[in-house]
Amino acid sequence: RAARKTAVRKRAAATRPEVPHDRVPVVPETRTAGPSDTTMVPASKAKLPLDVVEAVKAAASKKADHIALLDLRKAAGFTDFFLLATGGNARQVRAIAEAVEEALGVRRVEPAHTQGYDRTGWILLDYFDFVVHVFSAERRRFYGLERLWGSAIPIDISSLVDLPAS
């Protein structure tokens, strides 16, 4: 049974389109469907918790680059969503993370764990149901969480925030 699961995962990975390390698709047309269809789901159909929506908006308010929201509910992850954002420099990375904390703090939602403020190459905010990752461009390319969690379903967040056309 384990061998069969491994074979299915390898076939799915082989047919999944390559996503460039520094560019995350934000519109459904940029991904092609395959056997393990990972086509983007519109935010309106994804039944997003309000806290996740607020976190996305807070990251966008600080001009975060390449914001991506991954739905891990069917990927057997330890959390329901990953919010990934990139800052242009250490100061912007910190500002994005602080904006997310502040926006959710207004709603009296505090992270269970924070990590990386002292290094600012990758700040992690763990809210149990979702995890916010704010990266520098180099760290995001290096760790490639979109590839690591390839079975996650990407959410099209363009309806939540004004994203520039690509």
Side-chain angles (χ1 to χ4, degrees):
R1 186 173 184 176
R4 185 172 44 196
K5 281 185 178 180
T6 303
V8 169
R9 285 186 187 135
K10 285 182 181 177
R11 270 196 314 274
T15 59
R16 192 173 300 120
E18 269 300 309
V19 177
H21 306 298
D22 62 341
R23 180 83 175 104
V24 178
V26 293
V27 293
E29 297 79 37
T30 60
R31 296 183 66 99
T32 57
S36 68
D37 190 10
T38 57
T39 303
M40 293 183 107
V41 174
S44 59
K45 293 185 180 181
K47 297 181 183 176
L48 298 175
L50 189 55
D51 295 336
V52 173
V53 173
E54 290 301 316
V56 169
K57 289 179 178 180
S61 75
K62 293 298 178 182
K63 308 293 186 212
D65 292 327
H66 312 300
I67 301 171
L69 184 60
L70 303 178
D71 185 343
L72 300 169
R73 291 177 287 193
K74 293 184 180 177
F78 54 90
T79 189
D80 292 341
F81 298 96
F82 270 178
L83 172 60
L84 307 161
T86 304
N89 56 46
R91 184 179 229 172
Q92 187 183 18
V93 168
R94 188 178 200 61
I96 294 166
E98 288 173 352
V100 170
E101 279 195 275
E102 184 178 319
L104 294 175
V106 168
R107 299 177 45 77
R108 296 195 171 134
V109 177
E110 298 295 324
H113 179 73
T114 61
Q115 187 174 330
Y117 271 107
D118 55 338
R119 292 181 295 276
T120 66
W122 178 3
I123 297 177
L124 180 140
L125 306 171
D126 184 354
Y127 289 94
F128 284 123
D129 293 336
F130 65 100
V131 177
V132 178
H133 300 273
V134 185
F135 294 97
S136 65
E138 302 82 35
R139 292 282 170 99
R140 186 159 180 181
R141 275 192 300 273
F142 180 78
Y143 288 105
L145 292 186
E146 292 93 345
R147 287 186 322 276
L148 183 64
W149 290 93
S151 60
I153 299 169
I155 305 292
D156 179 11
I157 59 167
S158 60
S159 64
L160 301 176
V161 296
D162 292 330
L163 294 173
S166 35

